[in-house]
Amino acid sequence: MGTLMLFKVTENLILDSVSLFSVSLTKTLLGVIPATPPVTDPISLTEFTTPIGASVYQLILPIGSVVANGPKLEMEICTTLRSGTALGDIQTVYLTPGYQFGDTPTGVNGPIFDYPAKEVSGNIDPGVELLEKTSIAPEGKRPPGPSFPFEYHLSSNIADGETLTDIIIFGVLDPAIQWTGKPIQIIAANAKGCSVVTTPNMAPISGGDLKVHCGSVTGSTADVDLQVVVEVYITGILDESAVNPQQTIPNHVEMIYAYDNTVYGDVGDVDVLAKPYTLQKQGSPRNVLLGENVSFTLDFQYTDYPLTGNKTIKLGITDILPDGLNYNHDSAKITLNGVDKGVVNPVITDNTPNPVQKTLFWDLLTSQQLATGSVGSITFTAEVANVYHDGADVLAGDNLLNTASASWELESGGTGTDSSSDTVSIFNAVLSN
């Protein structure tokens, strides 16, 4: 049916490039509204009238036909704001899908192009600076204790060649967060007069204020022009005698600066989830061939703060292999606190928790005597099968979801779990001369 798109950008936006599956597409400028003669799509003969000043482009995808519930056609459209665009002057992009040959191979019934009913739009808010607050905590979660420090990163991207002055960065650490005392980093290649004005509290007092000042910072082509890094850890805030204790800890930061004789502000927020026992799972490679081995890594961390005199009686990791992955026996190895402990074979249960699934279980307390404040990882491999258990072929494009969970139990009855998952995708490789 010949897939096409009509794309409109308001006058202060420039369409740079369009790609589909990383392949560049040709963009054809049909005209700028208003124009004489009117701007018209040459395939559907549809006339475009609004918004005034918008440029209209035709994009033809190299796809002959599509079917219902088929794979997504994810396009990447890159635009640039014209120099001189006023801050806060909202720019809008518009996209309308269509089919050049209608719903027949020969196009006998004419193009399908429902404008403006099917038009979708999105806004771009012009600014001179973008602020982002992130935590370098794996999967956004961390157990309490100084054994598990992580960093908050405040990153500012400033428009190329533009200079911000009298910059103040201000943040308040939650009482559940303790600054480690490691020097706070200010990373800015094109900055003048940067310094830490106020540091958070030192232990045993948690929380506190962070304030950084820079006389000026000039933007560059880099993604980050100003970055502040502070290392912290979570204090003993959890009640391990409870069932599945956890707490979401927020962090908020503000940035105030002067630009073009006007004062502006920006904010950033990020949450970290505190849990006594945390787990992260990752498979490699993410795209695999039939018969190829996939290596899985299970990283785990156990809190510094179990209850005094409250013995840990269960501590384990469970991994569920989906249909299509076959565990390689004797492939599992464990590293604990940086020391290679060798092979650690799991207890394997077939058809659990569902038919055709396989459950792997490692009892860490029995086999390793895992201490509080420990970090470790289990690695193992699994082979991609050629067929599923029912005899159906494993096909290119199939996704195999692998899930894992960490569980613990205290003598007092306190229990908890954490989970993580990863997906590997199948593709076929074809060689030809």
Side-chain angles (χ1 to χ4, degrees):
M1 53 182 60
T3 309
L4 63 94
M5 298 281 179
L6 271 296
F7 186 71
K8 294 188 297 182
V9 292
T10 44
E11 57 184 338
N12 285 327
L13 282 173
I14 301 170
L15 177 59
D16 296 318
S17 64
V18 183
S19 62
L20 176 70
F21 307 136
S22 300
V23 177
S24 297
L25 302 184
T26 300
K27 56 184 189 300
T28 303
L29 177 64
L30 300 182
V32 179
I33 304 171
T36 306
V39 179
T40 303
D41 170 32
I43 294 176
S44 65
L45 302 180
T46 301
E47 180 181 337
F48 299 92
T49 56
T50 58
I52 303 300
S55 298
V56 183
Y57 293 86
Q58 181 189 77
L59 314 173
I60 298 181
L61 281 61
I63 296 174
S65 63
V66 294
V67 296
N69 301 316
K72 293 181 179 180
L73 305 178
E74 296 187 353
M75 301 172 63
E76 182 177 88
I77 301 175
C78 297
T79 63
T80 300
L81 281 166
R82 294 185 188 277
S83 179
T85 303
L87 301 187
D89 183 7
I90 302 297
Q91 303 297 308
T92 306
V93 297
Y94 305 84
L95 191 64
T96 306
Y99 305 101
Q100 183 175 2
F101 304 123
D103 55 7
T104 61
T106 61
V108 66
N109 64 340
I112 297 175
F113 190 70
D114 194 3
Y115 171 82
K118 297 298 183 182
E119 182 177 76
V120 295
S121 64
N123 292 330
I124 298 174
D125 185 0
V128 73
E129 178 272 341
L130 292 175
L131 184 68
E132 183 181 20
K133 182 67 178 292
T134 57
S135 72
I136 312 303
E139 296 186 10
K141 54 192 178 185
R142 209 69 174 139
S147 296
F148 311 103
F150 64 95
E151 294 175 344
Y152 284 125
H153 285 198
L154 183 145
S155 303
S156 175
N157 187 357
I158 301 171
D160 298 0
E162 302 297 332
T163 299
L164 311 185
T165 60
D166 199 19
I167 301 169
I168 297 175
I169 296 170
F170 180 76
V172 179
L173 291 187
D174 190 276
I177 295 294
Q178 178 69 66
W179 177 41
T180 64
K182 183 177 179 179
I184 294 167
Q185 300 179 64
I186 303 174
I187 305 169
N190 301 312
K192 296 180 180 179
C194 289
S195 63
V196 178
V197 179
T198 304
T199 61
N201 298 326
M202 288 291 294
I205 302 174
S206 59
D209 298 342
L210 168 65
K211 186 176 181 181
V212 171
H213 177 264
C214 285
S216 68
V217 180
T218 301
S220 68
T221 56
D223 292 334
V224 177
D225 296 297
L226 171 61
Q227 187 174 73
V228 176
V229 179
V230 55
E231 186 183 75
V232 299
Y233 64 87
I234 300 171
T235 60
I237 58 173
L238 300 179
D239 178 6
E240 282 85 2
S241 65
V243 175
N244 210 26
Q246 61 183 47
Q247 182 175 324
T248 298
I249 306 170
N251 189 260
H252 176 80
V253 68
E254 299 178 3
M255 177 171 164
I256 300 172
Y257 58 89
Y259 173 73
D260 197 21
N261 297 318
T262 304
V263 175
Y264 295 92
D266 203 352
V267 297
D269 294 277
V270 66
D271 293 336
V272 172
L273 181 63
K275 303 186 78 170
Y277 187 26
T278 52
L279 177 72
Q280 304 88 41
K281 181 177 181 66
Q282 185 172 351
S284 178
R286 296 289 181 84
N287 293 290
V288 293
L289 300 172
L290 301 181
E292 188 176 25
N293 282 336
V294 182
S295 178
F296 290 102
T297 301
L298 301 165
D299 293 321
F300 56 89
Q301 306 85 32
Y302 188 46
T303 180
D304 279 334
Y305 302 123
L307 296 179
T308 302
N310 199 340
K311 185 179 179 181
T312 304
I313 59 175
K314 289 183 180 180
L315 200 65
I317 291 179
T318 301
D319 192 287
I320 301 173
L321 285 180
D323 190 11
L325 286 177
N326 297 322
Y327 174 70
N328 291 323
H329 290 273
D330 296 325
S331 67
K333 297 181 179 180
I334 188 169
T335 299
L336 187 59
N337 297 323
V339 178
D340 184 358
K341 297 288 188 176
V343 175
V344 55
N345 288 315
V347 175
I348 302 175
T349 307
D350 291 325
N351 300 312
T352 302
N354 297 309
V356 309
Q357 290 181 326
K358 185 187 298 290
T359 294
L360 316 176
F361 176 73
W362 289 272
D363 184 347
L364 298 182
L365 197 62
T366 299
S367 63
Q368 300 296 326
Q369 292 299 309
L370 191 70
T372 59
S374 291
V375 298
S377 64
I378 293 174
T379 60
F380 68 91
T381 63
E383 183 183 48
V384 179
N386 288 282
V387 296
Y388 294 109
H389 279 76
D390 63 0
D393 290 333
V394 178
L395 301 175
D398 286 357
N399 293 316
L400 305 179
L401 175 65
N402 188 205
T403 59
S405 62
S407 58
W408 57 274
E409 182 177 343
L410 297 180
E411 194 173 39
S412 67
T415 62
T417 61
D418 189 35
S419 62
S420 184
S421 63
D422 202 3
T423 299
V424 295
S425 299
I426 312 301
F427 67 82
N428 287 328
V430 179
L431 299 179
S432 60
N433 294 325

